[in-house]
Amino acid sequence: MIFRDRRDAGRRLAERLLIYRHNAIVLAIPRGGVPVGYEVARRLEVPLDLIIPRKLPIPSDPEAGFGAIAPDGTIVLNERLVAYCGLSVGDIERISKEVLAEIRRRAREYRGDRPLPELKNKNVIVVDDGLASGYTMIAAVRAVMREHPKRVIVAVPCSPESSVERLEKEVDEVVGLAVQPYGPFAVASYYESFPDLSDEEVKALINQAPVT
C-alpha cells in the first residue's frame, strides 16, 4: 500500500478508527504526524492536539536514537544500544535534559498559551506518519497512560511488524494500514510525496483543526 502523501494516509487511516470516535481526542506527533492526525480528527469530528516525544540521539550518530523521551520526562531506552554505545547514566541524563528542553521549546512554538488537553476517561488516539523502532511512540503512550484515559489507540499508516508487536504490549489497540512483516523498513518508502514539514505548516494545521 502506497499513500499519495500524509493527508491521504490520514484519510484512509480514519476509516479504520470510526469505532473509537465517541469521547475521543487525537494526539498527533509533530511534525510528520500532524497532517495524518488532522485528517483523522476531521473525519472523526473530534479534537486534535499534540504530544511531542523525541528520540534520544546517539552522540556519535545523531540521526540514530538509543531511546526516546516524552514531554513529562518519561524515558524509554533501548538497553542493548545503550550498552553497545557505552553510554553512562550521566550521558543519558545530559542528553535527556537537552532533548527535553527542545521538546518544551517546540511545545511553546506550537501551542502558545493553549492549555494541555484533558485525557482522563477519553479514547486517546495517538497518531504518527509511521513507526520505525517504535520507541518514540512508546514514550508518548506511556506519558498518555499517566493521565488515566479510558483507552489508548496507536494509529499509523505504516510500520514494521516488530514495532506493532512492541506497541501491542503497551496500549489497547494498534491500527496500522501497511504492516511490513520482514526486510528493511523506511517510512518514506510508503509515500509518493514525503516532504519535510516546517513549524509554520504544523501550526497552520493545528489552528485549522477542532480543538479541545
Side-chain angles (χ1 to χ4, degrees):
M1 179 180 291
I2 301 295
F3 309 103
R4 288 195 303 275
D5 54 24
R6 292 180 177 95
R7 294 184 71 163
D8 173 53
R11 287 189 286 270
R12 296 203 221 177
L13 190 59
E15 299 305 314
R16 292 276 302 276
L17 297 167
L18 290 169
I19 60 173
Y20 301 114
R21 70 194 301 176
H22 177 68
N23 194 30
I25 182 172
V26 173
L27 297 183
I29 296 179
R31 297 183 177 101
V34 175
V36 183
Y38 174 85
E39 294 295 340
V40 171
R42 189 169 71 162
R43 177 69 176 93
L44 272 57
E45 299 180 316
V46 301
L48 172 68
D49 215 299
L50 302 176
I51 186 163
I52 313 177
R54 285 180 68 81
K55 72 180 177 187
L56 297 170
I58 297 171
S60 61
D61 184 10
E63 291 301 311
F66 63 86
I69 186 169
D72 67 347
T74 297
I75 293 174
V76 179
L77 298 176
N78 182 330
E79 299 289 356
R80 289 198 304 171
L81 263 181
V82 169
Y84 178 80
C85 296
L87 296 170
S88 67
V89 172
D91 292 330
I92 294 169
E93 289 178 349
R94 174 181 56 79
I95 294 167
S96 297
K97 184 177 180 181
E98 292 170 356
V99 174
L100 193 56
E102 173 61 15
I103 287 173
R104 289 171 176 163
R105 183 200 70 77
R106 287 197 178 200
R108 290 191 298 271
E109 176 78 14
Y110 297 150
R111 301 184 59 82
D113 297 328
R114 196 168 71 196
L116 294 171
E118 175 63 55
L119 304 182
K120 187 175 181 180
N121 296 325
K122 290 190 176 181
N123 288 326
V124 180
I125 304 169
V126 187
V127 175
D128 205 352
D129 55 9
L131 294 177
S133 67
Y135 283 95
T136 301
M137 181 64 80
I138 290 172
V141 298
R142 287 185 181 176
V144 168
M145 287 291 193
R146 293 184 176 186
E147 302 302 315
H148 307 290
K150 178 181 179 181
R151 186 183 288 111
V152 177
I153 303 98
V154 166
V156 291
C158 57
S159 172
E161 189 173 63
S162 59
S163 295
V164 170
E165 292 171 351
R166 192 172 289 127
L167 264 298
E168 285 175 337
K169 299 173 184 177
E170 303 281 340
V171 299
D172 298 286
E173 184 77 24
V174 179
V175 177
L177 299 182
V179 178
Q180 183 174 307
Y182 53 83
F185 176 86
V187 172
S189 68
Y190 283 84
Y191 292 85
E192 293 176 2
S193 175
F194 195 70
D196 291 336
L197 298 176
S198 67
D199 287 345
E200 288 68 29
E201 289 172 302
V202 170
K203 288 188 288 185
L205 285 171
I206 291 297
N207 290 335
Q208 293 170 33
V211 296
T212 52

